Amino acid sequence: FRLEFEEAEMVKYCDNIFHALKITFANEIGAVAQKLGVDARRVAEVFCADTKLNISPKYLKPGFAFGGSCLPKDLRALNRLASNLDVQIPMLQAIQTSNQNQIEQMTSRILNLKPKSVGIVGLSFKKDTDDMRESPYVMVAKRLIGEGIKLKIYEPGINPEKLIGSNKEAVIRAIGYLGKLLITSVDDLDQCDCILINHPIIPMGKIQTYLEKSINIIDLADTGWPDRYHVFYHGVAW
């Protein structure tokens, strides 16, 4: 790899800090397991056997906050368990705070652009699902509505009439009736001042069209837009 000096320095920091992170993660999990009478070596053996998601490049590129029905729930459960067992796991306890900071910082970035209307592409916590439970995008939408900003949401995977249970209750509690915010075509985003791309579900040509109309694009999905230095194009970590 040929890198700029600053990039190479950040890679070296990334190497060593990730090693420190992994050691701390394993030790904190080990402390909880030991308190429960579970052999943490066996847990680590099975955990490390998953090279598709666990020990892999997956989830290791800059992106937005996590959400959904699994990660926040299990993180809270383990932290509560550790607290009941009187086990100190400061790194794991800080994860949710850091995740919430991502949401707050992104909301501030949008508000700093002073938009009157914002288009949101993707509302579920990940692509190809209608699950909006603890979706960070719903949390951002809620904050923007609270600031008086008009929203248009393009999410073809969601039919408000088919939502049930806690999924339906969560989105209604956060932003009200979803049907009044949903649009059926990406063309309806043309009049927005800012567009937040959460899922890569719109054609690259449409991004070009938006930029030509001087619409600010915040690309959380890293869609691969070639001109990352366009004045109206904003990424998550660049």
Side-chain angles (χ1 to χ4, degrees):
F1 299 94
R2 294 186 65 86
L3 304 175
E4 298 294 333
F5 286 127
E6 293 82 1
E7 292 172 330
E9 288 173 337
M10 282 304 300
V11 169
K12 184 57 177 173
Y13 277 126
C14 188
D15 291 342
N16 286 341
I17 293 171
F18 187 52
H19 299 163
L21 177 75
K22 288 189 289 185
I23 291 168
T24 304
F25 173 82
N27 288 341
E28 290 194 358
I29 292 293
V32 177
Q34 182 183 39
K35 197 78 170 184
L36 292 170
V38 174
D39 188 340
R41 295 170 300 178
R42 180 62 173 157
V43 173
E45 178 185 0
V46 177
F47 172 81
C48 293
D50 179 0
T51 56
K52 181 178 180 181
L53 297 179
N54 292 348
I55 310 300
S56 76
K58 193 70 174 179
Y59 307 126
L60 284 176
K61 293 183 179 179
F64 193 43
F66 63 78
S69 58
C70 295
L71 273 61
K73 169 181 65 68
D74 286 352
L75 180 61
R76 284 193 297 267
L78 185 67
N79 277 307
R80 190 177 302 115
L81 176 62
S83 178
N84 291 340
L85 295 171
D86 197 26
V87 176
Q88 299 298 313
I89 49 172
M91 188 188 78
L92 297 180
Q93 288 173 342
I95 292 175
Q96 188 59 56
T97 300
S98 179
N99 197 58
Q100 186 61 37
N101 285 344
Q102 294 287 327
I103 296 170
E104 297 299 329
Q105 290 166 10
M106 181 52 59
T107 304
S108 295
R109 284 182 66 183
I110 297 171
L111 293 175
N112 286 340
L113 295 171
K114 301 187 181 339
K116 294 181 179 178
S117 61
V118 172
I120 295 179
V121 178
L123 195 63
S124 57
F125 84 95
K126 67 178 180 179
K127 183 184 173 186
D128 298 329
T129 179
D130 67 354
D131 191 347
M132 292 173 285
R133 289 173 292 179
E134 300 205 50
S135 167
Y137 312 118
V138 171
M139 298 177 194
V140 170
K142 178 181 179 180
R143 283 284 311 278
L144 295 178
I145 290 173
E147 294 290 335
I149 294 174
K150 182 180 179 181
L151 297 187
K152 291 184 178 181
I153 300 174
Y154 178 69
E155 175 55 278
I158 293 177
N159 182 344
E161 304 305 322
K162 293 184 178 181
L163 297 177
I164 60 173
S166 60
N167 189 23
K168 180 178 181 179
E169 293 167 4
V171 72
I172 290 176
R173 187 164 54 249
I175 61 177
Y177 179 59
L178 183 58
K180 66 182 180 181
L181 301 176
L182 288 175
I183 58 175
T184 58
S185 170
V186 291
D187 293 335
D188 293 333
L189 298 173
D190 286 4
Q191 302 305 314
C192 293
D193 302 315
C194 175
I195 299 174
L196 184 66
I197 302 177
N198 301 324
H199 302 327
I201 56 176
I202 60 175
M204 196 71 71
K206 286 303 298 182
I207 298 178
Q208 176 72 46
T209 300
Y210 301 145
L211 293 172
E212 289 173 353
K213 294 186 176 184
S214 301
I215 299 173
N216 280 292
I217 301 294
I218 300 180
D219 184 5
L220 303 186
D222 195 9
T223 59
W225 174 252
D227 185 5
R228 294 192 173 188
Y229 297 99
H230 194 289
V231 65
F232 292 109
Y233 178 82
H234 315 271
V236 115
W238 59 87

